[in-house]
Amino acid sequence: LRIEPMRESALEEVIIGTWAKVEGVQLASPKATADLIIQNTKSKKSVFQLPYLQVYLDRLWKTGFEKSKLSADSVIRIDSESVNEVGAIDDVLELYLREQKEALKEELPAELQWMVDRLLEAFVTYEGTRKAHTMDTLAQEPELEREKIKPLLKQLELLRILKEDEGQYELSHDSLAKVIDQGRSGEQQKINDIIRRLKDAYREYKEKGEEKDLLLPARRVAEVEVFEDALKTELSKTSESPEIWQYIEESRLFLRPQQQAEQEEQQRK
C-alpha cells in the first residue's frame, strides 16, 4: 500500500477547516494565509510533513493568543503577519523540541534526566544529519541501557520527535537533527568537528593516491592527541575507524623525523 502525500489544495482545506472549528479565531484571507502556512511548513527538500502541521498551528495559536490579550475584542487573528512572525518550521521545531525535552525531564528522576539529551544525540551524525537506530544499536551506545531507554523512546515517539518503522527509530524531521547538533556540549562539538575533518582528509588522501603531502600536518595530529581517548570511543562506532587510525599513525611516522630535527636544533641553541 502506497500512501501518496496530500495535495496542497487538500492541505488548504484542512488548515482552513481547522481554524473554522476553533472558537475565537479569525483567519484573514484564508486561502493566501493557508498557502503561506504550507510554504513555511515544508522542509528544505520541499516536502510537506503532515505530523508537524499540528505543531505549527499550535504555535500560531499561542502567538495569536498572546497578542489577543492586548486587543479590546480578544479575537485571535491569524494572518500573513502572524505566520511570518512565527517563521519557518525549523524555528518552530527548535522551540517545540526545547519545550518537550524540559517537560519530559520533569517526569524523570533527577539522576536520569541527562539521558534525554544523550538519547537524542545518538540519532544525530557527526555531520548534524539524522541517523537511524534499532533497539540493539542504541543499546551499544555508551551510557544507554536498554531497559531505561525503552520508555523514553515511546514518549519521544508520542511527542512526534521520533518515528518508528518496523523496529527502526529516527528523528521525525531534518530540522530536529540540526537543533540537537547545535545543542551539544562545546567539547562534543569540537570532537565531532575533528572527526568530520579527519574523514574529509582521509577521503582526499585515498582519492589522490595516498600522496604524502596529504597526510595530517603537525597541528592536526596534536589536536587528535588532545582528544585521543574520546575520539577512539566515537570513531569505534564507524566502519572507517581502523583505516582512519592507520592514517593518523602514518601521519605521525611521517612527521617524526621533522620533529626530531626540530628538537635537536633547539638543543643546540
Side-chain angles (χ1 to χ4, degrees):
L1 177 64
R2 180 175 177 177
I3 301 174
E4 296 291 338
M6 292 179 70
R7 294 181 179 178
E8 290 196 6
S9 58
L11 290 170
E12 284 179 4
E13 291 178 10
V14 169
I15 293 168
I16 293 170
T18 298
W19 289 124
K21 295 175 183 177
V22 181
E23 187 177 349
V25 171
Q26 179 184 5
L27 182 64
S29 304
K31 191 177 185 306
T33 304
D35 183 62
L36 186 56
I37 290 171
I38 292 169
Q39 299 310 313
N40 276 9
T41 315
K42 284 182 178 179
S43 69
K44 289 183 178 179
K45 297 178 182 177
S46 295
V47 176
F48 183 90
Q49 298 193 7
L50 191 59
Y52 284 102
L53 176 60
Q54 183 179 349
V55 174
Y56 196 88
L57 296 184
D58 181 65
R59 182 58 55 189
L60 267 176
W61 185 90
K62 288 177 179 176
T63 302
F65 179 72
E66 290 302 315
K67 282 188 172 183
S68 72
K69 293 178 181 179
L70 306 174
S71 173
D73 56 11
S74 298
V75 172
I76 299 174
R77 182 176 174 82
I78 305 296
D79 54 19
S80 60
E81 182 181 341
S82 58
V83 175
N84 286 326
E85 182 180 341
V86 167
I89 187 64
D90 294 20
D91 301 323
V92 174
L93 288 179
E94 180 176 359
L95 184 56
Y96 176 76
L97 178 63
R98 192 186 315 136
E99 291 175 346
Q100 299 306 318
K101 279 200 311 179
E102 291 309 309
L104 185 53
K105 287 178 182 179
E106 288 177 4
E107 298 177 7
L108 296 172
E111 64 273 15
L112 292 180
Q113 291 180 0
W114 62 269
M115 197 175 289
V116 176
D117 290 310
R118 180 65 190 87
L119 178 58
L120 287 172
E121 285 180 14
F123 289 97
V124 183
T125 67
Y126 306 115
E127 291 80 18
T129 58
R130 288 189 289 179
K131 179 181 181 180
H133 273 291
T134 63
M135 181 64 74
D136 289 338
T137 59
L138 278 172
Q140 295 171 15
E141 291 282 325
E143 306 172 311
L144 296 182
E145 298 175 27
R146 185 184 296 264
E147 293 308 312
K148 289 181 179 178
I149 63 175
K150 271 185 180 180
L152 286 181
L153 288 171
K154 188 63 179 176
Q155 284 291 96
L156 290 167
E157 188 182 352
L158 289 172
L159 292 169
R160 300 185 297 276
I161 293 171
L162 293 179
K163 59 182 180 180
E164 184 270 338
D165 183 23
E166 296 183 351
Q168 184 164 282
Y169 297 86
E170 70 174 339
L171 294 168
S172 298
H173 199 283
D174 292 329
S175 299
L176 292 172
K178 183 174 67 175
V179 173
I180 293 167
D181 185 50
Q182 291 171 346
R184 283 167 162 158
S185 69
E187 181 174 332
Q188 188 62 50
Q189 288 185 18
K190 178 69 174 176
I191 290 168
N192 290 352
D193 184 53
I194 293 172
I195 291 172
R196 281 193 291 270
R197 284 190 274 107
L198 277 173
K199 286 186 172 183
D200 289 343
Y202 173 70
R203 193 176 300 116
E204 184 180 10
Y205 173 69
K206 296 299 289 185
E207 288 174 353
K208 295 187 176 179
E210 302 184 3
E211 295 178 7
K212 295 298 183 183
D213 62 348
L214 291 175
L215 289 167
L216 296 172
R219 61 190 177 88
R220 293 295 182 214
V221 171
E223 189 177 53
V224 167
E225 290 171 348
V226 170
F227 296 99
E228 189 156 347
D229 290 341
L231 287 169
K232 282 181 178 177
T233 300
E234 296 295 337
L235 279 170
S236 66
K237 304 172 191 176
T238 72
S239 59
E240 297 172 296
S241 181
E243 291 84 359
I244 289 176
W245 281 110
Q246 180 62 33
Y247 173 58
I248 293 169
E249 287 306 314
E250 287 176 12
S251 299
R252 284 171 169 158
L253 288 172
F254 182 73
L255 289 168
R256 194 162 294 162
Q258 177 186 341
Q259 291 171 337
Q260 289 175 342
E262 289 174 354
Q263 290 174 359
E264 290 171 1
E265 180 66 24
Q266 288 292 327
Q267 289 171 358
R268 283 196 295 269
K269 289 183 179 180

